[in-house]
Amino acid sequence: MCGIVGYVGNKQAYPILIKGLQRLEYRGYDSAGIAILNGVLNVYKRKGKVSELESFVKSKDVDGRIGIAHTRWATHGEPTDENAHPHSSQSKDLSIIHNGIIENYDVLRNELINRGYEFHSDTDTEVLIYLIEDIKKNEKVDLGEAIRIALNQVVGAYAIVVISKDEPDRLIAAKKGSPLVIGIGDDDFYIASDATPIVEYTKNVVYLDDEEVAYIQKGEKLKIKTIKNKDKTPYVTKLEMNLSQLEKGGFEHFMLKEIYEQPRSIRDSLRGRLNADKGIVSLGGIIDYEQKMVNANRIIIIACGTSWHAGLVGEYLFEDLARTPVEVEYASEFRYRNPVIYEDDIVIAISQSGETADTLAAIELAKSKGATIIGICNVVGSSIARATDAGSYTHAGPEIGVASTKAFTAQVTILCLMALRIAQLKGTLSKSRFRQILYELESIPEKVEKTLQVSKKVIEISEQYQNVRNFLYLGRGYNFPVALEGALKLKEISYIHAEGYPAAEMKHGPIALIDEEMPVVFIAPNRGIYEKVISNIQEVKARKGKVIAIVTEGDESVRKLADHVIEIPETEELLVPLLATIPLQKLSYHIAVMRGCNVDQPRNLAKSVTVE
Ligand code: F6R
């Protein structure tokens, strides 16, 4: 949450910073601000989106070749002009941008108030910049040293960049728990929460590690120290993403673009990892840990939100194919509930962003108990990817829309490959069955392409139900997580209340909600316990509920009962989630657009949840 950008070099900083903020707006968008140095340190900030900041600074002085900028997702203090970043020190000589939470800010704030400081915002960040200035003044150290000393007093998470009126060529950055990347140009430096604002200018980047401080001086080599004052050698890596991946490519919204990218993203997730003709499934990233996975008595999957739904599909896959018991845990619960973790446990952590604070903390907990951690991440070089013992990237490409779409199907694809590989090694599937699934998995991108053609039907349904207040999503077996995911997609972008349930659980409570106003989405392919799902549909119809059913092409039984059917191609039961999710993503997208919602940036949400 919160996006931070910094620049120092020979170019004008403002266009680089504003463009960077636009790229990072998915991380938070309730206020934005910028500080540019050109003799004077000009700080401009505004409640609202980056576009409001742009209008605000139109007639202002934004000249300068060094600056910092921030887009905020509020934690401490409401979204107001005062609480927007950058925050300035008492003397106004220093300014800071911060992503994270200073947990002991209250103690530090009271100490500073006792020493005569006056605060102007409700944020924890202002405390940090006051503390830095106080140390600089009283301990007579330079800015870099003051920051290093201050960070030793801070409890919590931070990615910060500090600019000083007295240092026209230098920025200082540091991180713990929140991400920070430094791009190294020919004669300039770019700093950001992720690589998206940087890729346009340079592919050479350094990912800071926790408790590292970077001294970024124009015309000099990047210097890094830990907050304990140990020198570190910057490790430069090459970015793989390209600029076109970060643009809308003719689509009205990133979310729609990302929905349509799924044939490609699933293909990329499978590329080089699956060969049905030769009967090969191979995930290079976990090869050294395969035997541990084979020997594990259980797998624990940890994740949040949509990634947790993918984890639930993973539970069905591992138990079904590899016969390994699986527990799926919300990372936020797992980390605080004193779970039993054994040294031979395999923990699979799933995260699109690779930065989710709860997932990271759950990983650290499991690591401390000796478990082996396997990651499934989308963002290369992210904190979670680096915290795991091994793992597989999803290769879905940057996901910009706040609602996760292509990342989910890519995660399910990887889980499927992992479960198949472990099943192969354990010998829990016959050779012919194994091959059969491999061939079917290979054909999935093409079937996703076909599934994407359901637009007309989905738009008709969206028109009819765009104004309802509630939705119910029901599915069984592999399609229960799909129901959860469908409901989450609808509520997060259209603000319609929606619940996902296992279809048979309906009669234990939610059935009371059903009347002629209530649309019920059934995921009802002709696989698994199909007849039982038909009975559940009948129960809804008997109470005059409106049934929207996702069915297998050519299905006649459900068609007779349902008010609307959306067809998906025939496939293996275990692969249905990869297809059935697509029309549900489109349904939520079209309903949200019809309701005039901001699809790519829904209210109160952020793409990367780096606070717990
Ligand atoms: C929903 C959504 C969130 C994320 C969750 C975990 O569309 O995007 O529920 O899935 O915040 O994020 P990652 O996968 O980045 O750990």
Side-chain angles (χ1 to χ4, degrees):
M1 329 213 111
C2 299
I4 66 182
V5 197
Y7 174 76
V8 54
N10 295 322
K11 301 183 192 126
Q12 278 296 317
Y14 178 72
I16 295 168
L17 296 173
I18 279 289
K19 209 187 240 186
L21 287 188
Q22 284 157 350
R23 295 247 160 85
L24 292 179
E25 211 169 12
Y26 73 87
R27 299 176 66 88
Y29 30 82
D30 49 42
S31 59
I34 200 158
I36 297 184
L37 177 63
N38 185 12
V40 282
L41 185 55
N42 286 312
V43 179
Y44 308 112
K45 42 198 208 173
R46 239 13 193 191
K47 178 179 174 203
K49 296 193 179 276
V50 174
S51 54
E52 311 222 0
L53 175 70
E54 272 186 281
S55 318
F56 178 64
V57 301
K58 268 214 171 98
S59 54
K60 307 269 192 300
D61 175 14
V62 290
D63 183 41
R65 292 164 204 281
I66 174 168
I68 57 177
H70 186 273
T71 177
R72 177 168 186 249
W73 186 87
T75 54
H76 286 73
E78 281 177 37
T80 59
D81 291 351
E82 293 71 37
N83 289 336
H85 298 215
H87 287 283
S88 301
S89 62
Q90 181 109 321
S91 68
K92 309 267 181 263
D93 286 352
L94 309 177
S95 259
I96 188 171
I97 47 173
H98 169 218
N99 166 208
I101 292 184
I102 309 298
E103 286 169 14
N104 59 339
Y105 90 105
D106 216 18
V107 179
L108 297 171
R109 191 175 208 258
N110 288 337
E111 275 173 23
L112 289 162
I113 288 173
N114 288 340
R115 291 217 286 278
Y117 285 88
E118 244 178 69
F119 286 87
H120 303 101
S121 80
D122 309 316
T123 65
D124 49 342
T125 307
E126 199 182 16
V127 175
L128 183 54
I129 195 67
Y130 279 30
L131 177 66
I132 291 168
E133 184 160 78
D134 188 70
I135 294 171
K136 184 169 178 292
K137 209 166 65 190
N138 292 324
E139 304 207 6
K140 309 227 169 351
V141 288
D142 75 1
L143 177 63
E145 193 55 7
I147 291 174
R148 196 189 63 73
I149 296 168
L151 292 177
N152 278 287
Q153 297 180 26
V154 156
V155 178
Y158 53 80
I160 57 165
V161 188
V162 178
I163 186 168
S164 162
K165 195 163 120 295
D166 300 329
E167 308 217 26
D169 295 324
R170 186 153 90 129
L171 293 173
I172 295 179
K175 84 144 240 160
K176 181 184 173 196
S178 300
L180 203 73
V181 193
I182 301 169
I184 302 177
D186 291 338
D187 49 11
D188 50 8
F189 292 98
Y190 306 80
I191 307 151
S193 299
D194 71 27
T196 56
I198 298 175
V199 62
E200 189 166 346
Y201 311 104
T202 175
K203 298 246 170 183
N204 297 324
V205 296
V206 173
Y207 290 92
L208 273 200
D209 277 328
D210 277 352
E211 302 200 331
E212 285 184 351
V213 186
Y215 304 84
I216 305 158
Q217 175 93 29
K218 190 178 91 181
E220 287 185 13
K221 284 222 154 68
L222 176 67
K223 279 198 204 95
I224 298 179
K225 265 187 191 183
T226 68
I227 63 167
K228 301 288 177 230
N229 214 8
K230 207 170 139 225
D231 287 331
K232 296 290 282 288
T233 310
Y235 178 70
V236 182
T237 46
K238 279 248 178 277
L239 288 176
E240 280 173 20
M241 71 172 74
N242 59 53
L243 202 54
S244 66
Q245 291 174 306
L246 305 176
E247 281 159 2
K248 283 193 199 144
F251 285 90
E252 206 180 327
H253 296 99
F254 280 111
M255 182 180 177
L256 191 61
K257 174 186 171 227
E258 288 157 9
I259 289 173
Y260 274 88
E261 273 176 356
Q262 287 174 105
R264 196 270 311 145
S265 53
I266 297 175
R267 247 178 224 122
D268 285 350
S269 294
L270 293 174
R271 179 158 302 126
R273 294 166 165 172
L274 171 68
N275 186 329
D277 283 339
K278 294 191 175 149
I280 293 174
V281 174
S282 143
L283 286 156
I286 60 163
I287 275 182
D288 294 343
Y289 289 80
E290 281 179 350
Q291 215 45 54
K292 273 198 166 175
M293 292 178 84
V294 166
N295 296 337
N297 287 318
R298 87 176 159 163
I299 292 174
I300 303 171
I301 298 181
I302 49 176
C304 301
T306 287
S307 299
W308 185 83
H309 297 156
L312 275 186
V313 180
E315 175 182 21
Y316 286 79
L317 287 164
F318 273 101
E319 296 205 343
D320 197 6
L321 303 176
R323 309 303 298 149
T324 309
V326 178
E327 286 167 29
V328 187
E329 300 261 6
Y330 284 114
S332 53
E333 288 297 311
F334 183 78
R335 62 180 288 197
Y336 284 120
R337 69 165 184 77
N338 195 15
V340 177
I341 306 166
Y342 300 110
E343 281 190 2
D344 63 352
D345 279 338
I346 295 288
V347 171
I348 301 182
I350 309 174
S351 176
Q352 187 286 127
S353 62
E355 301 296 345
T356 302
D358 284 320
T359 310
L360 252 176
I363 289 172
E364 295 307 335
L365 174 68
K367 255 189 180 173
S368 71
K369 307 277 180 201
T372 300
I373 321 289
I374 305 290
I376 299 181
C377 288
N378 193 38
V379 178
V380 177
S382 55
S383 305
I384 292 178
R386 287 181 293 139
T388 50
D389 293 305
S392 299
Y393 283 115
T394 43
H395 298 317
E399 194 180 61
I400 314 267
V402 164
S404 190
T405 52
K406 61 176 180 172
F408 173 79
T409 46
Q411 289 163 347
V412 171
T413 304
I414 298 295
L415 285 161
C416 196
L417 289 170
M418 274 187 190
L420 281 164
R421 176 64 184 149
I422 303 308
Q424 184 183 32
L425 293 169
K426 283 176 86 171
T428 45
L429 286 177
S430 70
K431 282 211 168 94
S432 59
R433 177 75 186 123
F434 181 72
R435 277 286 168 94
Q436 195 181 9
I437 300 173
L438 260 46
Y439 277 115
E440 191 53 33
L441 184 53
E442 239 173 26
S443 74
I444 283 293
E446 217 174 285
K447 292 190 178 181
V448 171
E449 248 154 46
K450 204 163 170 212
T451 311
L452 282 165
Q453 290 161 14
V454 295
S455 296
K456 194 161 162 269
K457 190 91 204 169
V458 174
I459 289 170
E460 277 166 26
I461 298 171
S462 307
E463 271 162 359
Q464 191 168 336
Y465 295 102
Q466 59 176 294
N467 293 319
V468 302
R469 300 188 56 190
N470 300 290
F471 254 87
L472 204 53
Y473 286 71
L474 301 175
R476 300 185 74 151
Y478 280 99
N479 296 313
F480 162 50
V482 176
L484 293 178
E485 177 57 9
L488 176 62
K489 275 311 73 105
L490 186 70
K491 66 186 139 195
E492 69 181 329
I493 61 166
S494 73
Y495 319 139
I496 294 175
H497 169 242
E499 289 198 48
Y501 255 90
E505 274 292 304
M506 184 183 60
K507 54 188 168 298
H508 300 289
I511 199 162
L513 295 168
I514 291 172
D515 60 16
E516 59 278 9
E517 306 277 298
M518 174 67 106
V520 184
V521 179
F522 273 94
I523 298 100
N526 65 358
R527 295 295 176 128
I529 39 179
Y530 175 59
E531 279 76 23
K532 306 263 182 218
V533 178
I534 291 185
S535 308
N536 299 140
I537 295 177
Q538 265 156 344
E539 287 156 13
V540 169
K541 284 314 298 174
R543 286 155 186 88
K544 300 196 167 45
K546 298 280 183 294
V547 170
I548 301 161
I550 312 294
V551 301
T552 310
E553 249 167 4
D555 179 290
E556 286 308 326
S557 311
V558 176
R559 187 178 294 275
K560 282 189 208 131
L561 295 169
D563 297 272
H564 314 271
V565 295
I566 300 171
E567 293 192 335
I568 57 171
E570 173 109 42
T571 190
E572 289 279 348
E573 184 188 359
L574 61 98
L575 300 177
V576 171
L578 291 170
L579 303 184
T581 306
I582 311 283
L584 303 186
Q585 294 169 344
K586 292 185 84 172
L587 184 68
S588 54
Y589 171 79
H590 288 297
I591 290 180
V593 171
M594 286 171 195
R595 287 165 69 90
C597 299
N598 187 339
V599 171
D600 282 336
Q601 295 174 346
R603 69 182 178 208
N604 304 337
L605 290 175
K607 183 86 186 145
S608 182
V609 186
T610 54
V611 295
E612 63 170 291

